[in-house]
Amino acid sequence: TLKWLRLRIGCVPFELAVPYRAGLDPKMTRWSSFPFSSSDHFGQCMAACRHVSGMQSRLSAMAPASRFDFSDKLGMLEAMSFFSACYAAGGLGIVSMVSGTWVSPWMYASAFTMAWFVYLLHRFRISRRVGAPVTARGAVLDQHSGLVRVLLWSTGLAAIGTALLANPWLLLLLAGSVTGMLFYGSGPDGRRLRDMLLIKNACVGISMSLFWLLLLMLHDLDGPHHAGVLLPIGVSMFFMVFGDAMYCDLCDVEVDERTRSRTVPLRWGQGSTRWIADGCMLLSATVLVLTPQSGGGAGSLWILVPVLLLLLQVGLHAVGTSWVRIAVDARLLLLMVLVWISSDLLKSMT
């Protein structure tokens, strides 16, 4: 992957893309200053460039010799929004479990492909915006722009196809998701919805929780839908996504600062952000436990899901900032697997 080092020659800042591997000294990414004197400006500038070149050579030497770097592949999948799609599919599974409504595989496929298409389109638009700051994710998308366009066409067509197979009304949900994404990311820096403190997190929380509930209801339009059950589940999912969105902001502190985005990590620091997100997750679990069970009878899942969700939340404190987004996005699929295994064990013991 590329790591953008920020440097300053005289009073002019610039950036340099260098090979980067997780675990390198974080001090390498801080500002390096090269003050000009009244004479020999050109000589000092060349010395600064030689310093930068030497830094690039040292970092290149630290890179692994193998052509296959697991962290690089994960970073590419994250930039391509694959894990965001996993988050959407996993969230649908959690909502399905606690509501006692088992949705079809086509509904899961629709959630996965719709989320992948919308998230990838959003990130590609942001990276191609005039005057957009260069980021590691943007560099990956730009380097593989051909693959990104193929993925956009593929996921878009797959989203339409799975929607038709699951429920044609899902096409309206797809159109609404794209419209909301365009509204969320449009406008000048500092004035977009995604730049407003807490509002950006609330927008993600509302959109994802509504997305899951609508998928659940569209699975069986004629079936009974208990508002006393679905509403608390929606509130619980909102708090969960609200906190997860704060966690994901930990990875974008430098970019958000340059684009004048007001985020929780920038306002209150990374440590406070983690604890605020933990509080949101505790609220989510509490609402879920206090929600009356549906007629479908979710049974022990009403306790298993909140308990395992809190345990996984605690585990996020052991994850470094560079891996937080992937850990958050992949966590819900892991939660589904753990709930299934735990539920089967409890059934076998009773």
Side-chain angles (χ1 to χ4, degrees):
T1 55
L2 294 178
K3 183 69 177 180
W4 288 89
L5 299 187
R6 300 186 302 172
L7 304 111
R8 189 190 300 273
I9 297 181
C11 60
V12 181
F14 68 95
E15 291 180 325
L16 175 73
V18 297
Y20 173 77
R21 181 166 59 109
L24 293 182
D25 186 358
K27 291 186 293 185
M28 298 294 284
T29 64
R30 295 179 183 174
W31 284 102
S32 297
S33 298
F34 304 97
F36 282 1
S37 63
S38 57
S39 62
D40 195 20
H41 290 186
F42 178 77
Q44 293 187 47
C45 181
M46 292 303 296
C49 291
R50 284 194 298 271
H51 176 81
V52 172
S53 178
M55 183 186 300
Q56 186 171 7
S57 300
R58 291 194 298 274
L59 289 174
S60 299
M62 294 179 189
S66 173
R67 290 185 178 182
F68 184 85
D69 189 334
F70 187 66
S71 62
D72 281 352
K73 304 306 177 185
L74 284 180
M76 183 174 177
L77 286 175
E78 191 280 322
M80 298 288 181
S81 304
F82 173 80
F83 292 107
S84 300
C86 292
Y87 186 85
L92 176 61
I94 299 304
V95 171
S96 169
M97 287 178 175
V98 297
S99 66
T101 304
W102 306 103
V103 300
S104 68
W106 286 119
M107 197 63 74
Y108 283 105
S110 184
F112 183 84
T113 53
M114 287 171 61
W116 197 351
F117 171 71
V118 173
Y119 269 95
L120 183 57
L121 180 61
H122 170 68
R123 291 180 177 180
F124 194 54
R125 286 184 68 252
I126 294 296
S127 67
R128 308 290 287 186
R129 209 163 43 94
V130 176
V134 180
T135 64
R137 178 192 295 159
V140 172
L141 295 178
D142 186 61
Q143 181 182 1
H144 302 281
S145 58
L147 176 60
V148 172
R149 289 185 171 89
V150 171
L151 276 176
L152 283 173
W153 277 102
S154 302
T155 54
L157 292 174
I160 294 173
T162 53
L164 291 174
L165 290 170
N167 189 322
W169 286 105
L170 287 175
L171 293 176
L172 291 179
L173 181 58
L174 175 60
S177 300
V178 173
T179 303
M181 177 272 297
L182 294 174
F183 183 70
Y184 173 77
S186 297
D189 288 349
R191 296 185 179 181
R192 299 167 295 178
L193 277 178
R194 68 184 307 274
D195 297 329
M196 300 179 183
L197 182 64
L198 296 179
I199 293 179
K200 65 169 294 186
N201 309 114
C203 287
V204 179
I206 292 172
S207 61
M208 286 305 302
S209 56
L210 282 177
F211 180 72
W212 290 326
L213 291 181
L214 288 174
L215 284 171
L216 193 67
M217 290 187 289
L218 288 173
H219 169 69
D220 185 10
L221 288 174
D222 299 325
H225 300 291
H226 305 281
V229 174
L230 293 183
L231 182 59
I233 290 176
V235 173
S236 174
M237 294 300 101
F238 165 78
F239 282 121
M240 181 188 73
V241 181
F242 186 67
D244 287 347
M246 293 183 191
Y247 246 111
C248 291
D249 285 337
L250 292 172
C251 308
D252 300 325
V253 171
E254 292 186 2
V255 177
D256 288 336
E257 186 177 13
R258 283 182 286 170
T259 57
R260 293 183 292 169
S261 293
R262 297 174 292 279
T263 64
V264 174
L266 282 174
R267 178 62 64 92
W268 293 298
Q270 297 195 11
S272 298
T273 299
R274 289 179 181 263
W275 289 112
I276 294 173
D278 291 344
C280 292
M281 195 60 63
L282 183 60
L283 279 174
S284 174
T286 303
V287 172
L288 203 55
V289 170
L290 297 178
T291 302
Q293 295 188 24
S294 66
S300 59
L301 298 181
W302 287 91
I303 299 299
L304 278 176
V305 172
V307 170
L308 292 175
L309 190 61
L310 289 176
L311 289 176
L312 290 175
Q313 182 72 17
V314 172
L316 287 179
H317 283 266
V319 179
T321 302
S322 58
W323 295 98
V324 159
R325 189 187 298 275
I326 294 177
V328 168
D329 286 343
R331 181 186 48 175
L332 294 188
L333 282 180
L334 176 60
L335 178 62
M336 283 180 59
V337 174
L338 292 177
V339 168
W340 278 332
I341 295 174
S342 302
S343 180
D344 288 341
L345 287 176
L346 288 176
K347 288 178 181 178
S348 63
M349 293 170 60
T350 56

